[in-house]
Amino acid sequence: MMNKSKIQWTEMSWNPITGCRHNCEYCYARKQARRFSGDIRLNKGTGQMKQYLGDVPSENVCYVLPQPFRNAKGRVVPFPVGFEPTLHEYRLCMPAQRKKPTTIFVCSMADLFGAWVPDEWIKRVFDACEAAPWHNYLFLTKNPQRYTDLANARALPEHDNWWYGTSVTKKGDKFFGGRITDHIFLSIEPLHESLDAGLGSFGGAEWIIVGAETGIRPGKITPKREWIENIIEAASITQAAVFLKNSKEMDAVWGAPLIQQLPPELEREDDPEIPHCKACGFAMTEEQGKRGTLYRCGLARAKHIPGRHTRTSPRWCPIRNSKEANKNE
């Protein structure tokens, strides 16, 4: 599963592992997993998955899915054991299959570095990332001690395009005890109290993401503006980039415009402007009654413009080709 992400600070999410045992009361991922799990008891009896019997305590049962799980109707079930830790082996090849350089959030539906995750699973995910070195990879955990343990065992890869993050919500949450690698970041989401005491430089984080709790959970906490101001002021001391996530809750507290900075290494140049066929001066239209409007290109021998290219011009567009040729000169 690699999808375009609604998370504003990344481009895509990839979940070779799903499931988490932190039991955060505000967790959106757990709700989503339960929604798309089907009958877990019946799923476990189908024989499509197997229990992992490696380096995890016997009471922490984990599962392995060699292929996508299908129910009795043949439909794929993305979370057949709910939010129990699961390795989806068939997803490990997905980064290498995507050739366009992309910023990928690894395991948005899990904590890859949770204490229950087998070392072997982490290594297999790392190997899959290293097989596609043209992407940026973002990792995030509420258990940063695992970073330190892996680093001490020389099992934490260091690459210019890999970012290791820690998630905190309040004072007392664990974050970096030292600089484990060149690129580290902090996700303060949801912000549940002021973090102005003792955080200093946020453990050397180069990038700080701040978000408000969303949803309708009873006891939902709305951050105060001064809590956010304290974070921004502390980040300015070390020139860390700050990204405020857009939501109606954050808009109500902070207003517009939101600060949405990215580290220079994660910024991408915009694609060159390409004429949209509907807006192109050479687009020819033909009304077809109930079938709607047919679009043809007046520059390409009246060639039909496929549906999706009414929004962005096709590869055979002579204007597009000339612009891309100029870019490569």
Side-chain angles (χ1 to χ4, degrees):
M1 182 183 294
M2 186 182 292
N3 299 316
K4 288 186 178 180
S5 179
K6 294 182 180 179
I7 301 171
Q8 299 149 18
W9 42 264
T10 188
E11 294 175 291
M12 302 198 77
S13 60
W14 169 52
N15 286 285
I17 294 173
T18 58
C20 181
R21 292 197 170 112
H22 287 311
N23 295 317
C24 302
E25 64 273 14
Y26 50 81
C27 181
Y28 73 90
R30 181 180 299 275
K31 295 177 183 177
Q32 185 172 346
R34 287 175 176 170
R35 179 182 177 187
F36 297 103
S37 64
D39 190 320
I40 296 175
R41 180 181 60 83
L42 291 178
N43 293 344
K44 289 181 178 180
T46 63
Q48 296 184 55
M49 67 191 76
K50 55 186 178 182
Q51 290 188 5
Y52 179 82
L53 302 176
D55 57 334
V56 292
S58 57
E59 66 271 15
N60 291 337
V61 178
C62 299
Y63 295 88
V64 177
L65 268 175
Q67 299 294 332
F69 184 94
R70 296 185 181 275
N71 62 16
K73 295 182 179 180
R75 296 174 182 170
V76 173
V77 179
F79 308 101
V81 290
F83 216 43
E84 295 186 50
T86 306
L87 171 64
H88 302 255
E89 290 183 316
Y90 58 93
R91 297 178 182 172
L92 290 169
C93 61
M94 291 180 176
Q97 293 173 342
R98 182 173 177 81
K99 302 306 180 184
K100 180 181 179 180
T102 304
T103 297
I104 299 173
F105 179 18
V106 182
C107 293
S108 63
M109 294 292 294
D111 189 334
L112 176 60
F113 302 95
W116 54 87
V117 178
D119 290 337
E120 177 192 341
W121 288 13
I122 296 176
K123 185 180 185 305
R124 293 185 70 178
V125 172
F126 284 166
D127 289 345
C129 295
E130 290 182 325
W134 51 88
H135 300 306
N136 293 322
Y137 296 99
L138 308 178
F139 304 94
L140 188 61
T141 184
K142 291 182 73 71
N143 181 35
Q145 181 60 41
R146 193 73 180 270
Y147 289 151
T148 303
D149 295 342
L150 290 168
N152 291 339
R154 297 184 178 181
L156 190 74
E158 293 190 43
H159 300 290
D160 290 340
N161 56 331
W162 290 30
W163 290 72
Y164 295 101
T166 297
S167 177
V168 302
T169 63
K170 58 186 183 300
K171 297 175 186 176
D173 285 349
K174 297 177 181 179
F175 64 106
F176 301 102
R179 196 171 187 85
I180 57 170
T181 186
D182 285 341
H183 294 315
I184 60 176
F185 69 100
L186 194 65
S187 175
I188 307 175
E189 185 191 5
L191 176 58
H192 276 177
E193 66 176 350
S194 175
L195 299 179
D196 59 334
L199 278 180
S201 63
F202 297 102
E206 300 172 51
W207 185 28
I208 300 171
I209 301 165
V210 184
E213 182 176 352
T214 59
I216 56 174
R217 179 182 69 89
K220 171 181 170 182
I221 298 174
T222 301
K224 297 181 180 179
R225 183 182 177 91
E226 54 263 34
W227 299 355
I228 303 171
E229 290 174 341
N230 290 336
I231 293 170
I232 295 173
E233 182 179 357
S236 68
I237 296 174
T238 56
Q239 300 182 335
V242 175
F243 191 103
L244 304 184
K245 285 192 66 177
N246 186 24
S247 65
K248 63 180 182 180
E249 290 81 3
M250 182 64 80
D251 289 343
V253 174
W254 188 262
L258 293 175
I259 300 171
Q260 293 191 324
Q261 301 169 340
L262 294 174
E265 296 85 351
L266 295 179
E267 292 180 347
R268 297 190 185 279
E269 294 184 3
D270 293 334
D271 292 334
E273 183 181 355
I274 296 174
H276 291 194
C277 287
K278 277 187 176 181
C280 178
F282 298 97
M284 301 171 62
T285 61
E286 178 184 336
E287 298 299 331
Q288 296 190 325
K290 292 182 179 180
R291 294 179 63 186
T293 302
L294 175 68
Y295 287 84
R296 298 185 185 277
C297 178
L299 289 178
R301 299 178 183 176
K303 191 170 184 178
H304 172 60
I305 302 171
R308 69 186 181 93
H309 293 309
T310 61
R311 299 185 297 276
T312 179
S313 59
R315 289 289 178 187
W316 45 258
C317 171
I319 298 178
R320 177 183 188 136
N321 291 339
S322 64
K323 289 192 175 187
E324 292 185 346
N326 291 334
K327 179 189 175 186
N328 295 327
E329 288 181 356

